[in-house]
Amino acid sequence: AAVEFDLLAYFAPGMALMFLMYTVSYGGRSILAERSQGTLPRLMISPTHTAQVLGGKVLGIFFMGVAQVGILILASSVFFQVKWGDPLGVAVLILVAVFGASGWGMLITALARTPAQVGSTGSAIMLIFGILGGSFINLEQMPAFIRTFSKITPNAWGLDGFTTLALGGTLKNIAEPITALPADQSRATARAMGAARPAVAVHPGRHVTWYGDDTQRARAMAILTALVGAWGRKGGIFLPTRVERGSFDLPGFPESAR
């Protein structure tokens, strides 16, 4: 059966995603403000680890973005009867969209020198991403190169996912907006790994540079390896085992004549 599309279900997430960029950049502005006021340096010399200080601030910005989008969705559902679609898909898409927007907000904060620069740059990025992401004009009416360039914005991916859900899609139908990877390639990779399991080894290859998120990357590889049942299997990943050795006598060290 055909699903009637609510026009508000397009413009509401478009506006929410656009102003989300302002929210996350404003959160980054607070970090620079604390640095200029001397609060951040005092936190840095405390027994608290630097990653905990900055991580806590970034997590606060993330939750603020989730709350903003969540309240807008709840209010539009109650007062305007906007049909957002599958609740699980909406929840996952909110988290992913805010995560992507927060990354852009932190990038703006890292490149800016003062809180005022974050404010002006964040406002400009908000409007540019709003236009490129389809918050004002449907991307289908844009030239092909604009649609391709729009993929750098979390607005375009998020709006694509919300539109799919509003048209009756579920979580499985928004794999591409969530992962920012072509759905056909994701399915082909999953089928290839499923056909070869348990002879599947997920390995990052050799690196000359390592990053601070190596722990999470290793966890993701371990989880994926477990999902395909490749732990301790031929062609998969073998856990290192301890080799027992017998005892033997070591020759004594020679003594110096001096």
Side-chain angles (χ1 to χ4, degrees), residues 3-257:
V3 177
E4 183 179 352
F5 182 71
D6 188 351
L7 195 59
L8 276 177
Y10 177 85
F11 286 106
M15 293 297 106
L17 292 167
M18 185 182 71
F19 286 104
L20 174 64
M21 293 301 303
Y22 178 78
T23 300
V24 296
S25 63
Y26 183 83
R29 179 179 178 273
S30 67
I31 297 177
L32 293 183
E34 289 195 8
R35 185 179 68 179
S36 62
Q37 294 167 2
T39 306
L40 190 60
R42 288 197 294 271
L43 287 173
M44 291 300 186
I45 63 174
S46 68
T48 307
H49 196 276
T50 303
Q52 293 176 314
V53 174
L54 296 179
K57 292 186 175 298
V58 173
L59 195 61
I61 295 170
F62 174 78
F63 284 137
M64 184 168 57
V66 171
Q68 173 184 308
V69 179
I71 291 172
L72 186 144
I73 289 177
L74 181 62
S76 62
S77 301
V78 173
F79 296 110
F80 300 102
Q81 288 74 51
V82 176
K83 306 299 182 183
W84 291 85
D86 178 42
L88 179 59
V90 170
V92 173
L93 194 56
I94 289 174
L95 297 176
V96 173
V98 175
F99 183 81
S102 299
W104 272 104
M106 292 304 100
L107 178 61
I108 295 171
T109 303
L111 296 177
R113 296 292 183 182
T114 65
Q117 288 182 356
V118 176
S120 57
T121 305
S123 298
I125 293 292
M126 175 190 73
L127 292 174
I128 293 172
F129 277 18
I131 295 171
L132 287 178
S135 296
F136 299 102
I137 304 173
N138 193 329
L139 286 176
E140 296 299 325
Q141 302 174 8
M142 295 286 192
F145 76 94
I146 293 292
R147 293 199 299 269
T148 301
F149 193 64
S150 70
K151 299 303 182 182
I152 69 170
T153 71
N155 307 56
W157 293 108
L159 197 54
D160 183 18
F162 282 120
T163 303
T164 300
L165 294 174
L167 290 171
T170 59
L171 182 60
K172 66 179 181 180
N173 302 119
I174 58 172
E176 186 168 341
I178 288 176
T179 61
L181 296 173
D184 292 340
Q185 291 184 12
S186 299
R187 285 192 290 266
T189 302
R191 287 170 182 153
M193 294 180 67
R197 65 178 185 180
V200 177
V202 183
H203 193 272
R206 296 184 62 85
H207 288 267
V208 294
T209 304
W210 296 95
Y211 302 93
D213 61 348
D214 285 332
T215 301
Q216 299 305 322
R217 175 182 54 79
R219 286 183 62 192
M221 290 191 300
I223 292 172
L224 186 56
T225 302
L227 288 175
V228 296
W231 278 113
R233 306 290 293 275
K234 184 178 181 180
I237 298 295
F238 282 90
L239 295 176
T241 56
R242 186 169 181 173
V243 178
E244 297 294 337
R245 59 178 177 83
S247 60
F248 54 93
D249 296 329
L250 294 174
F253 288 100
E255 296 183 1
S256 174

